[in-house]
């Protein structure tokens, strides 16, 4: 029984490694398929949630990516990059106030990462331009940035 359990755990690790390799090599649909399998077996697999969120971002399923980052943040609440990733997806669907809060949180957790503070400045500019916000939100909708997976 123990050898079977070890075999199953090894296969799960190998599938996660394969999914990460597919993500890094741009085989996003293959990565997504593997990550779906991993998370169907263990919805608390934080690495699986993070990589699926990043894969969904690249595939422009930002609403789904946000959900995965929400779940990953529950397990790693002090991981600055998770807030930045979630904020980036929120920015893509022009949920600017929430995006700002996430990116600000990332900047506070890792003040040495300049990308966080520069993105915060971009969000602040957008927040001060309501007419531009409306145009950009409509553009995001037209480009399918708010689509979700079925």
């Amino acid at each position: 029984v123990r050898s079977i359990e070890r075999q199953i755990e090894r296969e799960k690790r190998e599938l996660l490694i394969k999914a990460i390799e597919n993500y890094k090599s741009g085989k996003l649909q293959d990565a997504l398929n593997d990550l779906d399998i991993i998370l169907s077996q263990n919805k608390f697999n934080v690495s699986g949630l993070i990589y699926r969120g990043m894969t969904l971002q690249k595939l422009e399923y930002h609403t789904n990516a946000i959900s995965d980052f929400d779940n990953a943040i529950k397990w790693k609440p002090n991981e600055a990059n998770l807030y930045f990733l979630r904020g980036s997806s929120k920015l893509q669907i022009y949920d600017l106030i929430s995006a700002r809060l996430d990116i600000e949180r990332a900047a506070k957790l890792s003040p040495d990462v300049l990308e966080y503070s520069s993105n915060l400045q971009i969000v602040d500019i957008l927040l001060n331009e309501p007419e531009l916000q409306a145009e950009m939100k409509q553009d995001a909708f037209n480009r399918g940035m708010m689509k979700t997976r079925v």
Side-chain angles (χ1 to χ4, degrees), residues 60-64 92-95 136-149:
E60 297 185 342
Y61 286 105
H62 293 286
T63 305
N64 299 103
Q92 290 298 314
I93 62 171
Y94 293 94
D95 181 357
M136 294 174 90
K137 190 161 193 151
Q138 185 60 47
D139 181 58
F141 180 79
N142 292 343
R143 289 184 298 129
M145 299 301 273
M146 296 174 195
K147 66 186 176 187
T148 56
R149 291 176 71 204

Side-chain angles (χ1 to χ4, degrees), residues 83-99:
Y83 291 95
F84 181 74
L85 289 167
R86 184 173 71 178
S88 297
S89 276
K90 288 177 178 179
L91 186 57
Q92 290 298 314
I93 62 171
Y94 293 94
D95 181 357
L96 297 178
I97 293 171
S98 292

Side-chain angles (χ1 to χ4, degrees), residues 40-54:
S40 72
Q41 296 169 352
N42 177 4
K43 65 182 181 177
F44 304 116
N45 184 315
V46 179
S47 295
L49 287 167
I50 294 167
Y51 272 96
R52 187 171 72 179
M54 292 188 312

